Amino acid sequence: MGRDEVLKKFTPKMENVLQILHELQNRNPKHYIQKEDINAVAKYLNTTMAAIYGIVGYYTMFSSRPRGEHIIRLCTSPVCNMKGAKDILETLKDTLQVQPGGMTEDGEFSLEFTQCLGQCQHSPVMMVDTEIYGELTPEKTRETIRDIQEKET
Ligand code: FES
């Protein structure tokens, strides 16, 4: 679906901005919102590009930079932190050779942080794309990544 088709699905009201941005981001194979999208949304909603950039920058679910095929979001809220999110972060960095906010060299994974995913009883927790993984240990984290990589081949 083209950019204009996405926009026309919504009435040009600011209350629709998050849904519009979601759809535009989802249609991009690199999971990000391009400058041209920002420009088109600003025009459609009769506002400024700065206002739309502000929204994209505020919500961690949006990105204005290309992202990997799979997006790993590690919860860094207090409960997960207390239950070992730091070890999981080190495991992800080691396994994938990627820094938070970055993308693996092959473009397969992006690593990001997120606030509480509402699964504190299973902490530490990460989300890969739309799937939640809990009770993570370094070993379980490596296995999860391996499973995703094997599904791809
Ligand atoms: S603190 Fe991590 S899921 Fe709630």
Side-chain angles (χ1 to χ4, degrees), residues 31-127:
H31 309 289
Y32 79 110
I33 298 168
Q34 295 172 288
K35 188 178 171 195
E36 294 79 5
D37 293 328
I38 303 264
N39 190 19
V41 173
K43 273 191 188 145
Y44 192 65
L45 298 180
N46 196 24
T47 185
T48 62
M49 285 179 74
I52 304 300
Y53 268 118
I55 293 166
V56 169
Y58 180 78
Y59 291 97
T60 56
M61 62 207 171
F62 296 132
S63 176
S64 55
R65 289 185 309 166
R67 297 196 278 191
E69 197 177 319
H70 301 288
I71 301 168
I72 300 169
R73 295 181 173 95
L74 178 66
C75 175
T76 54
S77 285
V79 178
C80 282
N81 258 338
M82 281 189 311
K83 295 276 195 76
K86 232 179 193 164
D87 293 340
I88 305 308
L89 174 61
E90 290 310 312
T91 303
L92 288 167
K93 282 163 61 178
D94 265 19
T95 307
L96 295 169
Q97 294 297 299
V98 67
Q99 294 299 313
M103 179 167 59
T104 54
E105 245 181 62
D106 61 5
E108 195 177 0
F109 293 96
S110 283
L111 176 58
E112 299 179 359
F113 293 138
T114 182
Q115 296 301 307
C116 180
L117 291 164
Q119 298 290 320
C120 311
Q121 71 276 24
H122 300 299
S123 60
V125 170
M126 69 178 178
M127 187 160 91

